[in-house]
Amino acid sequence: MAESTQDTAAVRNPSGHGWCAWHENYARDVRLISVVEQSSGSGWNLFACRPCRQAYELVPFADRP
Ligand SMILES: [Zn+2]
């Protein structure tokens, strides 16, 4: 098993800039909240920015137990 030099924090929070599905606009510091998988086809990911995560009490996907 080869050692990885990648920063795990960067992997858990890639780019940080993206589409917030809650206020429907681009925002900084978005996190992956939920992964919707459909049996009939491709699913999609929902991201939320920091203010929306606080407003809606959203827990990032990577931070769930
Ligand atoms: Zn938002």
Side-chain angles (χ1 to χ4, degrees):
M1 186 182 288
E3 284 191 35
S4 173
T5 57
Q6 278 189 311
D7 186 350
T8 51
V11 174
R12 287 163 57 89
N13 188 17
S15 76
H17 183 268
W19 181 264
C20 174
W22 272 259
H23 75 266
E24 298 186 324
N25 208 333
Y26 287 102
R28 293 165 55 187
D29 192 29
V30 296
R31 293 289 301 274
L32 176 62
I33 301 300
S34 64
V35 181
V36 180
E37 295 186 9
Q38 294 181 311
S39 57
S40 58
S42 60
W44 63 89
N45 301 331
L46 294 177
F47 292 83
C49 64
R50 183 187 299 270
C52 286
R53 292 201 306 272
Q54 293 177 343
Y56 296 95
E57 298 184 341
L58 303 169
V59 178
F61 186 78
D63 292 349
R64 293 179 193 174

